[in-house]
Each structure stands twice: as C-alpha cells, then as structure tokens.
Amino acid sequence: MQRIPRYLRTKRIADYDLFRAHIESRATTRSTQPFLPATFSPPSPQTLLPTNFTPPNPQATPTTLFEPRHFFLRDLPPIRRFVNRTDPSQCLVFTDGACIHHHRDKNNTKPPKAGWSFIFKPPHSTTKNGYFSARLETRGPEGETYPQTSNRAELRAVIAALRFIYYNDNVFDSVVVATDSKYVVHGATDWIQRWGSNGWRSVNGTPIKNQDLWQALLKEVGRWDADGKGVCFWWIRREWNVKADCLAKRAAREGAEVREWVDVGMPIWPIVEG
C-alpha cells in the first residue's frame, strides 16, 4: 500500500482523495505519433490556439497559485509536480532559453551558443532532478541548420516541456507554460494565427523567423487538443524565473555541442522521482 505524505494525512485528505481519483482516471495510453507530420498545414482561422493564462489577481505569483504536491498512480513511486491549488487537473512548468556570445568579437573567435531548460517539478532534498537543460541543437526538427539565438532557445524549451509532460504526465487536463519571453507568449497566442494565414510571412512579406519551431510548437498544441487537453501561456517576471534562466545559461556556457535534433519527450514512464 502506498504511503500517504504527512501533509496529506489530515486536513487535505479529502483533497488528496479527489486528486488521486482524477489522476487515476486520466491514465491513458500515450500517442506514438511522429514528431512532425509528413506535410504541415498552416493553422486555419478555426484552429484552436493556446490561450493566455490569467491569474485571479495581478499580484499572484507562480508559488501562490501552484503548490508542490505528491500524487500516486497505481504502484508507481510518488510524483511531485507544481499543481494548481484550486484545480488539481492543471500543472505548471517553467521554461527559459538563453544565448551567450550573440554579439561576436572582432576576431570572430566566440560563436554564439544557446541553451534551454524547463523545470517540471519542485526541488526535493533527496534528488537533484526536476528539470531538463541542454545546448540548443544546430539542426532543427526537419534537419535544416539554423543559427544559435535566444528566441530559438526559448521556443525549444517550450516544445521539449510540452512533449515531456504529454508523454510522461498525461494525467493533467491542462498545462500552464510559465515563461519570461514575450516573444513566445505573444507569438503562440496571437501572432502565429496571422503568420499561418499569410503563408508564414510578415506584413512586409518577409519570411517569419524560426518557422520550423513555431510549426513544431503548433504540432504539440494540436496533440494536446486532440486529447481534449489545453495549453496556456503565462508571461511572468524575470525574477520569478531565475532558476530556469540559470539552467539555460549554464547549458549554453558548459553544455556539449548538439548537432542533431534530440527528442526528450518520448515515453520514459515510469519516472522514479523524490
């Protein structure tokens, strides 16, 4: 029999029972769709796009709205996630991207290096896990070579987070992506619809940058939507995203070069966590 954490044994026991019932009811078979479709169709005006997450009050922070919780699923070890305090079917993930040496020196000796990270669970005294971070790949998901930029790293972090949570935490009805990148939030919830309808070109007729990653992001949102799940984006202050920022910068600075696109999201369930 699974051990119930101490903080769930008293006044939260009813909430725990409700949460566990919800989690077990959402244990579904995970999709094995390829990362990108053979042919990509731009979003139509009817395409359901991600939405902006609106906190109940302007002063709310991620820690006031989402709390660390354990939950249990069958005979697996307990899992910790950032769970909405009033809606146990919603989780939160922090994402960030960074690029160093993006202004090259005169001798061109320090090429730009980008890194990304996402944090999917709170820290725990018995483990250092709870996040993924890596250098940004030289090639995109379709095999083309692209420059190392902070915007690409920001998008890469979101794509990795959505795939990881979908395949390994497919028990939540919605996920809130917390990021300090307005480029990502505005692009995902507003601009991308206009870009797709305009053939992935700006109002000036120039090709949209990072089109491959925007299409990959749409693919992941569509995967969630096909299962009746929602994706929300929440722009947060940079000081609320310090850890993800540090992890992304460290990956850019110290991480080994990665040439080919790496998929961190395919099923690795069950995950042993503290």
Side-chain angles (χ1 to χ4, degrees), residues 101-142:
H101 308 319
H102 52 283
H103 298 297
R104 293 194 178 189
D105 59 17
K106 295 181 180 179
N107 297 323
N108 201 31
T109 58
K110 295 182 179 180
K113 298 191 298 182
W116 56 268
S117 73
F118 68 86
I119 302 173
F120 61 93
K121 76 170 186 177
H124 193 272
S125 59
T126 61
T127 179
K128 294 183 179 180
N129 294 330
Y131 67 87
F132 274 94
S133 64
R135 277 280 300 275
L136 176 65
E137 299 94 333
T138 303
R139 300 181 186 274
E142 295 178 316

Side-chain angles (χ1 to χ4, degrees), residues 64-120:
T64 60
L65 296 183
F66 293 82
E67 64 178 346
R69 287 196 192 182
H70 278 92
F71 65 85
F72 300 84
L73 183 61
R74 297 191 178 94
D75 297 325
L76 298 177
I79 304 297
R80 283 170 61 86
R81 293 293 182 267
F82 301 104
V83 181
N84 192 312
R85 293 177 184 270
T86 59
D87 180 5
S89 68
Q90 185 177 70
C91 69
L92 177 139
V93 59
F94 295 90
T95 69
D96 207 353
C99 185
I100 61 176
H101 308 319
H102 52 283
H103 298 297
R104 293 194 178 189
D105 59 17
K106 295 181 180 179
N107 297 323
N108 201 31
T109 58
K110 295 182 179 180
K113 298 191 298 182
W116 56 268
S117 73
F118 68 86
I119 302 173
F120 61 93

Side-chain angles (χ1 to χ4, degrees), residues 166-211:
Y166 178 85
Y167 281 115
N168 299 286
D169 288 352
N170 199 5
V171 292
F172 293 100
D173 287 338
S174 63
V175 58
V176 175
V177 178
T179 173
D180 57 32
S181 170
K182 291 185 178 181
Y183 170 74
V184 168
V185 174
H186 292 320
T189 61
D190 182 18
W191 303 338
I192 201 169
Q193 182 77 73
R194 186 164 59 252
W195 293 339
S197 300
N198 199 34
W200 291 97
R201 291 185 176 274
S202 68
V203 292
N204 298 324
T206 57
I208 298 300
K209 293 182 179 180
N210 307 319
Q211 178 181 334

Side-chain angles (χ1 to χ4, degrees), residues 228-261:
K229 301 171 181 290
V231 177
C232 304
F233 283 82
W234 184 12
W235 179 81
I236 60 174
R237 299 175 185 175
R238 185 165 297 179
E239 56 265 31
W240 296 348
N241 207 27
V242 172
K243 183 175 181 180
D245 177 64
C246 291
L247 291 169
K249 288 179 178 177
R250 187 176 69 181
R253 184 175 58 252
E254 303 175 5
E257 181 181 6
V258 182
R259 293 184 178 274
E260 302 298 329
W261 184 268

